[in-house]
């Protein structure tokens, strides 16, 4: 072995110091921008974190669908955001027109109010999930399956086509209007604030100065997301279907030889992802009570960034990426620049990709010769 | 040109202490090898022994964890793969990597790109300089194909060629980059016995014709033993033996690596018996 | 020869088509509505040819084309706006200087970077960024002094001439700015794997759109009016200009693809590792293609800006950024002819025909019919309308077959290859 003296420049190049310097400057700038204001008003900062958490959990549910589908068919399913929108729409009709959330109260009048509302809400979410799952499987069968052996871009273009179709079909005057519609929640919103203990905020009253607000919505979102995430993890890790999914994601031809019905597994993956998106649609609509037919685009895009940020194809990655995305969006809007928040979200993504080219949890692409 | 091992003392390719780790796993460990001009050297070993990794290290696809590779006294480490090719090392791949949707002619013409002789601007305006060089380049490529008897198939799409032809085209393409050292990664993989014989003839032929030094990875003993002058055997990333084909064939460690310990013992006993009889 | 004749026919038909349209517009037989659509079709052809170079020929899945289109549009619009509304050449001078000084800076940084062997992409990017900032600041400082003299020089010309010259330069400069931004952006991002590259470039498009939304407040270009949309851009894009640029882009693309550089570009799409093993500088090829494709996008954007005389950030929405990708795939990846045909079809059918065919009150239906057409198209012909087919002039001609020397009876130097061909 030869001993070589490394010059300063050599060391700088080897350690990639110039690039790291740039990143450090950017990160410091962001931390300073946020931190400076956060120290001045810590309550507001915590409030922002809570809001970010609520958003992040919804994104997580959508991001999982992107990541699962990508993991198994390597397709960026651009129609996923619109499936999410359909989920919200279904719940809007279920609650607004069909009063589905009141069926337990109607069927069993003796039930305590809380329980009948709980069952009602759950049935609304389940209905949305089911319809989204059916929709996604239909889309998969009609639009993606025939293209499985075509170049990957064809399926991507059909995905975009499906997305356009869902949006513009929904926006037609006789189907629905292209307007914003106020969403009716299946349950009443209850808000608490934390200031010298937890108090309930009376309806119509302004929250006290310096109190940190949270609502039953936040609790519901977190509970539902965690529950769904746990069930998904159980399905993927423990059940036979999950094993088949992982095997198909890894190597389709071999899985087929092992007797796995790969087409069926792909449909199930689409259904699972769409069901989660459907649930996310309901939760999103209850948190931000307004529905319209382009509502899926931006959350879909954000969730997609989250999935890529976490490493597309990885389930924990999607979750972590979504939480980061939620925080980033809220903090960027609150502390840096509201109109720039989408740009900031994507800047974060690009920066992360430059440091970790396949996302946080992504496996490195190995060049094989 | 065919008597290598005697004359030159200066190695064309010199590898010392080459090591490559993939997350703690040593794919290649302390690998040494010298190749002299005009030699045909074989690199063999069981699956996963690290042979292709050595190729990827020489051609710059991987950066070694430790060690030195010198080619004509130039240190190769830190150079990009395309720069290494331009220095005079060309290679083929274990699973053929042609430009599948391009014609046979274009596959070869791409290898001439570095000697194209005209710039972007010439190309865009299609001036005299472009015309002259492009014509010369095309003719050179065609003539080159004729050496391999493929000039009649110049317009065929590479992926439509039969397997053996694809191999031949890949070797031809590598040679079009005018290398001094050619690295062949399992050229006989997937070939039937007849094609293997043709391949061995081809290797002999190109070596004579282009005055080449060749490093060959091979799985099929028949090929290695048939054409190589010197052989290096790898197992688990390390060199376990080197020498002439005859010496290698009788090397215990090699037999053990290939056939397992029991087989090694068996062959040992057989050899002893034979010597007793003699 | 046969190929020469078919090339001639191609040019006759193509030029005939362009002239016919000019005649129809000139005589007023073609309504303004259809003329605009045809211009849009040609503009989309140029963007999509750029994207086809990047994706169809070089294999880099880019969704950033629309962002560069937007950059070209706003740059050129600003130049002509300042010329016609503010009566000075400030936009022209500053952008010209920025383009020149930034290319100089890039050139110098490239020299330094090539000296520093093994510099990682992000570090190189940082150096380029520093160079870019210094050059841009310098350009603005120097430019201020040059505005008045150059305005005066241009004012010496007849006003109609001056405005056409300013417009021409604005279009070229729009392309150049897009190209320079794509160079510095592509440097680190082109190292990403294919899908990740696509997502990063999609991000670029969105970032550009958001910046344009806030162009009056954050960027300080009050005349762009941010999300309210930029008005008052002169409508200078005549059919002749569009046709000239389309022909130029077609010829450049065709010539490039038929050269060794074009083959190197394609080899990267076919197999990156094999291309490297053939001595091709893959990173360089990717950068060149990306920059050239973005240059075309910038040109097209600049032309687009002067079609309607109105720009709105929503035109550069990421949803619309799929349009060039759809056109390229629809026409056939790796087919320039297909791209041009698809671009015109797209413009005429989507905005024109569907509007006419659908009954009154059902205009919104066209976005329902459009995805359905797209779906049917993809299911029936996943390789696109043209596949890899090209029109005669654009088609790669195989050289005449080679005759080994040994076959010639008298191997004389006078033996011209003319006799061997047929």
């Amino acid at each position: 072995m030869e001993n070589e003296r490394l010059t300063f420049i050599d060391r700088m190049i080897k350690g990639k110091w110039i690039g790291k310097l740039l990143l450090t400057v950017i990160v410091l700038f962001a931390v300073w921008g946020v931190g400076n204001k956060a120290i001045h008003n810590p309550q507001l900062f915590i409030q922002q974190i809570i809001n970010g958490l609520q958003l992040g959990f919804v994104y997580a549910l959508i991001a999982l669908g992107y990541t699962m589908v990508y993991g198994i068919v390597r397709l960026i399913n651009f129609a996923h955001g619109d499936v999410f929108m359909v989920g919200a729409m279904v719940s809007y009709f279920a609650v607004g027109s069909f009063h589905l959330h009141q069926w337990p109260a109607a069927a069993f009048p003796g039930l305590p109010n809380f329980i009948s509302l709980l069952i009602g809400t759950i049935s609304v979410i389940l209905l949305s999930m089911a319809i989204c799952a059916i929709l996604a499987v239909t889309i998969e069968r009609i639009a993606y399956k025939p293209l499985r052996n075509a170049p990957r871009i064809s399926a991507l273009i059909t995905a975009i086509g499906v997305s356009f179709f869902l949006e513009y079909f929904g926006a037609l005057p006789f189907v629905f209007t292209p307007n914003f519609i106020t969403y009716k929640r299946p349950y009443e919103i209850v808000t608490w604030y934390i200031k010298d203990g937890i108090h309930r905020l009376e309806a119509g009253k302004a929250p006290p100065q310096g109190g940190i607000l949270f609502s039953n919505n936040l609790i519901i979102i977190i509970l539902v997301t965690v529950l769904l995430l746990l069930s998904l993890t159980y399905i993927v890790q423990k059940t036979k279907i999950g094993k088949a999914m992982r095997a198909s994601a890894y190597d389709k031809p071999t899985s087929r030889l092992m007797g796995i019905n790969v087409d069926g597994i792909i449909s199930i993956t689409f259904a699972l992802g769409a069901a989660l998106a459907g649930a996310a649609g309901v939760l999103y609509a209850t948190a931000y009570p307004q529905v319209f037919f382009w509502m899926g685009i931006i959350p879909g895009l954000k969730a997609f960034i989250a999935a890529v940020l976490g490493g597309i194809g990885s389930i924990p990655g999607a979750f972590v990426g979504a939480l980061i995305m939620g925080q980033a969006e809220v903090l960027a809007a609150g502390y840096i620049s509201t109109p720039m928040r989408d740009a900031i979200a994507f800047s974060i993504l690009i920066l992360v990709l430059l440091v970790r080219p396949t996302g946080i949890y992504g496996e490195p692409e190995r060049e094989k010769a | 040109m065919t008597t290598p091992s005697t004359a030159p003392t200066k190695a064309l390719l010199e590898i010392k202490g080459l090591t490559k780790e993939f997350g703690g796993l040593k794919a290649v460990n302390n690998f040494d090898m010298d190749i002299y001009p005009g030699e045909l050297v074989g690199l063999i070993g069981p699956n996963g022994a690290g042979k292709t990794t050595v190729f990827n290290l020489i051609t710059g696809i991987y950066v070694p964890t430790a060690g030195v590779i010198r080619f004509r006294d130039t240190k190769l480490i830190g150079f990009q793969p395309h720069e290494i090719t331009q220095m005079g090392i060309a290679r083929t791949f274990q699973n053929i990597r042609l430009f599948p949707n391009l014609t046979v002619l274009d596959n070869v013409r791409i290898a001439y790109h570095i000697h194209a002789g005209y710039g972007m601007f010439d190309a865009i305006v299609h001036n005299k300089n472009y015309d002259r060089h492009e014509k010369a380049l095309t003719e050179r490529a065609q003539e080159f194909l004729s050496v391999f008897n493929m000039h009649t198939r110049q317009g065929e799409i590479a992926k439509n060629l039969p397997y053996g032809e694809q191999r031949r085209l890949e070797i031809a393409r590598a040679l079009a980059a005018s290398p001094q050292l050619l690295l062949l990664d399992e050229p006989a993989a997937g070939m039937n016995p007849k094609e293997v014989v043709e391949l061995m003839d081809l290797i002999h032929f190109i070596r004579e014709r282009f005055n080449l030094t060749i490093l060959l990875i091979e799985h099929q003993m028949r090929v290695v033993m048939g054409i190589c002058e010197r052989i290096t055997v790898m197992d688990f990333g390390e060199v376990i033996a080197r020498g002439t084909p005859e010496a290698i064939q009788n090397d215990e460690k090699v037999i053990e690596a290939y056939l397992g310990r029991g087989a090694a013992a068996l062959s040992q006993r057989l050899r002893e018996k034979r010597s007793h009889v003699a | 020869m046969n190929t020469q004749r078919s090339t001639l026919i191609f040019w006759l038909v193509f030029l005939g088509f362009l002239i016919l349209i000019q005649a129809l517009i000139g005589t007023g037989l073609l309504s303004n509505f259809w003329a605009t659509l045809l211009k849009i079709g040609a503009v989309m052809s140029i963007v999509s040819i750029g994207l086809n170079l990047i994706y169809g020929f070089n294999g880099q899945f880019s969704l950033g084309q629309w962002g560069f289109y937007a950059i070209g549009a706003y740059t050129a619009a600003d130049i002509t706006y300042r010329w016609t509304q503010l009566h000075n050449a400030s936009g022209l001078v500053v952008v010209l200087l920025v383009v020149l000084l930034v290319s100089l800076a890039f050139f110098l940084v490239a020299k330094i970077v090539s000296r520093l062997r093994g510099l990682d992409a992000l570090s190189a990017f940082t150096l380029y960024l520093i160079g870019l900032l210094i050059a841009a600041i310098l350009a603005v400082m120097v430019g201020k002094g040059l505005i008045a003299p150059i305005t005066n020089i241009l004012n010496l010309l007849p006003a109609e001439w001056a405005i056409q010259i300013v417009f021409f330069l604005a279009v070229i400069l729009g392309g150049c700015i897009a190209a320079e931004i794509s160079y510095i952006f592509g440097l680190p991002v082109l190292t990403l794997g294919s899908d990740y590259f696509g997502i990063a470039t999609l991000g670029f498009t969105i970032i550009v759109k958001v910046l344009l939304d806030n162009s009056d407040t954050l960027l300080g270009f009050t005349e762009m009016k941010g999300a309210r949309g930029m008005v008052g851009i002169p409508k200078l894009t005549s059919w002749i200009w569009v046709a000239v640029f389309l022909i130029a882009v077609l010829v450049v693309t065709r010539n490039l693809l038929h050269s060794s550089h074009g083959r190197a570009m394609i080899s990267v799409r076919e197999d990156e590792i094999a291309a490297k093993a053939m001595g091709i500088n893959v990173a360089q090829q990717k950068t060149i293609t990306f920059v050239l494709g973005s240059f075309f996008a910038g040109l097209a954007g600049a032309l687009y800006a002067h079609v309607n005389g109105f720009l709105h950030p929503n035109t550069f929405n990421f949803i619309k950024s799929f349009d060039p990708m759809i056109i390229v795939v629809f026409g056939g990846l790796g087919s320039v002819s297909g791209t041009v045909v698809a671009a015109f079809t797209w413009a005429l059918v989507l905005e024109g025909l569907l509007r006419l065919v659908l009954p009154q009150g059902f205009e919104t239906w066209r976005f329902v019919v459009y995805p359905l057409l797209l779906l049917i198209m993809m299911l029936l012909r996943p390789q696109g309308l043209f596949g890899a087919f090209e029109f005669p002039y654009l088609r790669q001609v195989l050289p005449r077959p080679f005759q080994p020397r040994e076959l010639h009876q008298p191997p004389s130097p006078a033996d011209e290859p003319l006799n061997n061909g047929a």
Side-chain angles (χ1 to χ4, degrees):
Chain A
M1 290 296 296
E2 284 164 76
N3 269 326
E4 278 176 88
R5 271 196 29 229
L6 287 173
T7 63
F8 171 70
I9 292 177
D10 285 336
R11 248 177 247 177
M12 198 176 68
I13 294 171
K14 249 201 171 140
K16 305 180 177 178
W17 282 114
I18 307 174
K20 280 181 188 166
L21 200 71
L22 176 75
L23 291 179
T24 320
V25 169
I26 294 171
V27 169
L28 279 181
F29 195 72
V31 169
W32 178 77
V34 173
N36 204 12
K37 290 177 190 163
I39 290 167
H40 276 283
N41 191 347
Q43 279 93 3
L44 182 66
F45 180 69
I46 295 171
Q47 184 70 61
Q48 299 278 33
I49 296 277
I50 290 176
N51 294 348
L53 211 61
Q54 175 169 330
L55 203 57
F57 272 90
V58 176
Y59 286 165
L61 284 181
I62 314 172
L64 284 168
Y66 276 114
T67 230
M68 282 160 58
V69 166
Y70 186 89
I72 201 159
V73 282
R74 305 265 166 244
L75 167 72
I76 302 172
N77 183 10
F78 276 111
H80 192 63
D82 300 293
V83 172
F84 157 85
M85 173 272 287
V86 170
M89 284 297 166
V90 166
S91 75
Y92 168 80
F93 284 117
V95 174
S97 308
F98 298 102
H99 308 288
L100 180 72
H101 61 296
Q102 285 165 353
W103 78 263
F108 312 101
L111 273 179
N113 199 17
F114 173 74
I115 293 187
S116 73
L117 210 56
L118 184 74
I119 297 173
T121 308
I122 289 173
S123 38
V124 170
I125 293 177
L126 285 178
L127 178 75
S128 280
M129 287 172 76
I131 289 187
C132 285
I134 293 167
L135 176 71
V137 172
T138 316
I139 294 171
E140 195 266 328
R141 283 286 149 117
I142 294 174
Y144 304 150
K145 197 177 162 209
L147 289 169
R148 202 145 292 151
N149 296 320
R152 238 149 47 93
I153 184 71
S154 314
L156 190 77
I157 297 286
T158 41
I160 295 168
V162 169
S163 162
F164 280 2
F165 179 78
L166 288 177
E167 286 158 17
Y168 286 98
F169 187 75
L172 286 177
F174 71 88
V175 185
F176 215 74
T177 55
N179 302 325
F180 287 85
I181 293 151
T182 313
Y183 180 82
K184 236 187 93 198
R185 297 189 181 90
Y187 49 85
E188 290 304 310
I189 200 102
V190 183
T191 312
W192 291 274
Y193 64 92
I194 308 174
K195 194 184 187 187
D196 319 317
I198 299 173
H199 311 279
R200 187 170 167 166
L201 185 71
E202 301 299 323
K205 270 194 185 168
Q209 201 66 36
I212 295 160
L213 294 170
F214 69 96
S215 64
N216 53 350
N217 244 333
L218 173 74
I219 298 167
I220 290 170
I221 286 176
I222 292 180
L223 274 182
V224 172
T225 307
V226 168
L227 204 70
L228 288 175
L229 204 70
L230 288 179
S231 345
L232 182 74
T233 315
Y234 176 78
I235 291 174
V236 171
Q237 296 296 338
K238 294 277 146 68
T239 62
K240 216 172 163 182
I241 289 173
K243 256 182 214 157
M245 276 166 69
R246 283 181 288 145
S248 309
Y250 193 75
D251 187 342
K252 268 185 270 304
T254 312
S255 308
R256 233 173 239 129
L257 290 178
M258 296 294 124
I260 294 170
N261 176 4
V262 173
D263 284 330
I265 291 298
I266 290 174
S267 293
I268 291 174
T269 312
F270 269 89
L272 279 178
L276 295 179
V282 183
L283 296 178
Y284 189 84
T286 55
Y288 311 93
Q290 220 174 28
V291 285
F292 74 120
F293 268 97
W294 284 277
M295 71 179 280
I297 297 174
I298 293 298
L301 188 68
K302 293 279 171 56
F304 173 57
I305 307 176
V308 179
L309 191 71
I312 195 154
S314 147
I315 288 177
F319 184 64
V320 171
L323 290 188
I324 293 176
M325 221 57 244
Q327 295 303 341
E329 187 179 337
V330 169
L331 292 181
Y335 292 113
I336 298 173
S337 160
T338 315
M340 289 295 287
R341 62 162 189 257
D342 292 357
I344 288 169
F346 255 109
S347 305
I348 291 174
L349 172 76
I350 293 175
L351 284 175
V352 169
L353 285 185
L354 291 181
V355 180
R356 288 191 64 92
T358 51
I360 297 170
Y361 280 74
E363 284 161 27
E365 285 178 30
R366 247 181 81 181
E367 244 183 326
K368 189 114 173 63
Chain B
M1 264 157 229
T2 43
T3 51
S5 47
T6 49
T9 46
K10 194 88 184 147
L12 184 70
L13 184 81
E14 194 184 338
I15 304 174
K16 276 222 164 64
L18 191 68
T19 303
K20 177 69 186 173
E21 288 181 29
F22 290 113
L25 184 86
K26 281 188 177 162
V28 174
N29 189 16
N30 210 8
F31 179 84
D32 295 335
M33 184 182 230
D34 288 336
I35 300 174
Y36 294 93
E39 271 191 311
L40 205 170
V41 181
L43 180 60
I44 64 170
N47 269 334
K51 297 165 300 196
T52 300
T53 310
V54 171
F55 267 29
N56 287 341
L57 289 167
I58 297 174
T59 51
I61 291 176
Y62 296 153
V63 180
T65 315
V68 187
I69 306 170
R70 268 176 217 281
F71 178 65
R72 291 192 297 161
D73 284 335
T74 317
K75 264 174 86 173
L76 289 186
I77 289 157
F79 281 95
Q80 295 286 313
H82 67 268
E83 293 169 321
I84 291 175
T85 308
Q86 289 172 17
M87 286 177 195
I89 300 181
R91 70 172 289 182
T92 65
F93 296 90
Q94 195 170 339
N95 27 16
I96 303 175
R97 277 173 175 265
L98 289 170
F99 303 120
N101 298 308
L102 300 184
T103 58
V104 169
L105 180 67
D106 278 349
N107 263 283
V108 174
R109 281 202 285 188
I110 284 166
Y112 283 132
H113 175 62
I114 34 180
H115 314 294
Y118 58 88
M120 260 325 238
F121 180 75
D122 297 330
I124 286 174
V125 296
H126 269 204
N127 58 11
K128 284 249 168 66
N129 194 25
Y130 161 84
D131 282 340
R132 201 181 46 194
H133 281 105
E134 179 72 7
K135 192 157 172 265
L137 189 154
T138 303
E139 277 170 8
R140 230 175 107 192
Q142 287 180 318
E143 199 176 331
F144 192 81
L145 277 174
S146 78
V147 171
F148 291 88
N149 226 355
M150 291 184 86
H151 56 289
T152 50
R153 321 191 80 157
Q154 61 165 354
E156 244 173 280
I157 301 297
K159 67 177 174 195
N160 298 340
L161 290 177
Y163 188 82
E165 294 272 294
Q166 288 195 15
R167 265 288 174 224
R168 201 134 59 104
L169 178 59
E170 203 197 14
I171 294 173
R173 192 186 61 175
L175 289 174
S178 49
Q180 288 168 303
L181 176 65
L182 179 67
L183 310 179
L184 296 173
D185 195 349
E186 298 208 18
M191 283 189 169
N192 63 35
K194 189 172 156 268
E195 283 171 326
V196 168
V197 173
E198 282 171 10
L199 176 82
M200 285 165 72
D201 287 344
L202 179 71
I203 292 174
H204 271 301
F205 167 72
I206 56 172
R207 189 180 165 206
E208 304 268 319
R209 167 108 191 195
F210 297 98
N211 191 13
L212 277 177
T213 311
I214 297 176
L215 174 60
L216 175 86
I217 290 183
E218 194 40 77
H219 231 76
Q220 299 194 22
M221 279 298 185
R222 215 151 51 93
V223 180
V224 197
M225 297 303 163
I227 59 177
C228 292
E229 284 136 9
R230 274 198 309 132
I231 291 173
T232 301
V233 190
M234 280 181 90
D235 196 15
F236 295 113
E238 292 185 36
V239 176
I240 54 169
R242 48 178 114 228
T244 59
E246 296 76 42
I248 294 295
Q249 254 169 331
N250 295 322
D251 192 292
E252 257 175 72
K253 268 188 177 166
V254 176
I255 297 164
E256 192 181 307
Y258 263 87
L259 304 171
R261 192 154 288 167
L266 191 70
S267 83
Q268 175 75 20
R269 230 175 295 147
L270 276 173
R271 236 175 294 151
E272 276 165 12
K273 227 181 231 169
R274 223 180 291 152
S275 59
H276 275 301
V277 174
Chain C
M1 238 173 95
N2 201 17
T3 46
Q4 271 168 356
R5 212 173 65 209
S6 49
T7 301
L8 196 69
I9 293 171
F10 166 78
W11 276 115
L12 283 177
V13 170
F14 186 57
L15 288 177
F17 166 73
L18 297 178
I19 291 166
L20 178 74
I21 289 172
Q22 176 56 30
L24 288 176
I25 293 171
T27 54
L29 281 173
L30 208 62
S31 71
N32 208 16
F33 173 73
W34 288 100
T36 306
L37 283 187
L38 282 167
K39 285 179 200 167
I40 299 282
V43 165
M44 285 311 279
S45 305
I46 298 175
V47 204
S48 310
I49 289 172
L51 182 63
N52 206 349
L53 277 179
I54 297 172
Y55 183 51
F57 291 102
N58 200 31
Q60 302 307 306
F61 177 59
S62 171
L63 294 169
Q65 197 71 352
W66 213 234
F68 295 112
Y69 181 70
I71 288 171
Y74 269 87
T75 308
D78 202 49
I79 293 172
T80 51
Y81 177 90
R82 280 166 190 254
W83 178 253
T84 52
Q85 307 285 328
L86 310 178
H87 307 291
N88 66 45
S90 54
L92 181 68
V93 172
V94 172
V95 174
L96 185 67
L97 273 174
V98 167
V99 166
L100 291 178
L101 285 181
V102 168
S103 13
L104 182 71
F106 282 175
F107 179 74
L108 292 177
V109 176
K111 286 241 149 174
I112 297 172
V113 169
S114 68
R115 282 274 183 80
L116 303 172
R117 295 206 61 83
L119 196 69
D120 61 298
L122 200 56
S123 297
F125 170 75
T126 313
L127 293 180
Y128 278 104
L129 195 65
I130 294 168
L132 173 89
L133 290 177
I134 293 172
I137 291 168
L138 216 63
V140 172
M141 274 164 44
V142 176
K144 277 195 177 135
L146 288 172
I147 293 170
I150 290 187
T151 310
N152 291 337
I153 293 170
L154 280 170
N155 275 333
L156 292 177
L157 296 164
E160 304 88 69
W161 282 60
I163 195 165
Q164 293 298 334
I165 289 171
V166 171
F167 171 63
F168 175 75
L169 288 175
V171 173
I172 300 286
L173 288 176
C176 289
I177 289 275
E180 283 180 349
I181 293 176
S182 77
Y183 180 73
I184 193 166
F185 176 71
L187 211 72
V189 172
L190 278 166
T191 57
L192 297 174
S194 67
D195 282 352
Y196 292 93
F197 174 73
I199 293 153
T201 46
L202 175 69
F204 176 79
T205 303
I206 291 175
I207 291 171
V208 169
K209 196 257 172 187
V210 172
L211 285 175
L212 291 178
D213 268 337
N214 304 290
S215 54
D216 48 344
T217 49
L218 276 171
L219 301 182
F221 294 107
T222 42
E223 70 274 14
M224 291 184 189
K225 299 203 180 62
R228 283 165 294 156
M230 186 174 184
V231 288
I233 309 160
K235 295 187 187 178
L236 291 169
T237 307
S238 62
W239 175 252
I240 297 176
W241 272 127
V242 170
V244 166
F245 275 104
L246 179 59
I247 291 173
V249 164
L250 269 179
V251 170
V252 166
T253 308
R254 178 263 182 192
N255 282 357
L256 185 68
L257 288 174
H258 290 193
S259 77
S260 190
H261 296 272
R263 288 191 293 269
M265 190 185 276
I266 296 170
S267 74
V268 174
R269 169 195 77 189
E270 291 289 301
D271 191 327
E272 265 187 46
I273 290 178
K276 279 181 191 166
M278 290 296 102
I280 283 164
N281 189 345
V282 168
Q284 192 190 32
Q285 287 299 335
K286 285 185 186 174
T287 312
I288 290 173
T289 320
F290 191 52
V291 169
L292 186 66
S294 308
F295 177 72
F296 289 168
L299 284 186
L303 289 170
Y304 170 77
H306 299 84
V307 171
N308 291 324
F310 173 69
L311 283 181
H312 194 279
N314 277 355
T315 314
F316 306 107
N317 204 330
F318 87 94
I319 303 280
K320 294 220 168 47
S321 80
F322 295 121
D323 288 349
M325 186 54 91
I326 288 171
I327 290 173
V328 166
V329 176
F330 190 81
L333 279 174
S335 164
V336 177
S337 328
T339 303
V340 176
V341 171
F344 276 101
T345 315
W346 178 87
L348 294 178
V349 170
L350 186 59
E351 289 296 323
L353 265 180
L354 286 183
R355 237 186 243 270
L356 293 186
V357 168
L358 294 172
Q360 276 284 294
F362 283 85
E363 283 87 357
T364 44
W365 270 84
R366 70 182 198 280
F367 285 109
V368 181
V369 178
Y370 167 55
L372 285 179
L373 287 178
L374 206 65
L375 263 172
I376 294 167
M377 174 70 199
M378 279 298 112
L379 294 179
L380 294 182
R381 259 189 94 78
Q383 73 275 40
L385 208 57
F386 276 53
F389 173 83
E390 294 281 13
F391 288 136
Y393 168 71
L394 301 164
R395 192 182 301 153
Q396 185 99 274
V397 183
L398 212 64
R400 73 188 73 211
F402 178 77
Q403 303 279 305
R405 288 279 152 78
E406 291 79 25
L407 294 182
H408 297 294
Q409 284 309 327
S412 68
D415 191 69
E416 284 296 310
L418 274 171
N419 312 326
N420 318 339

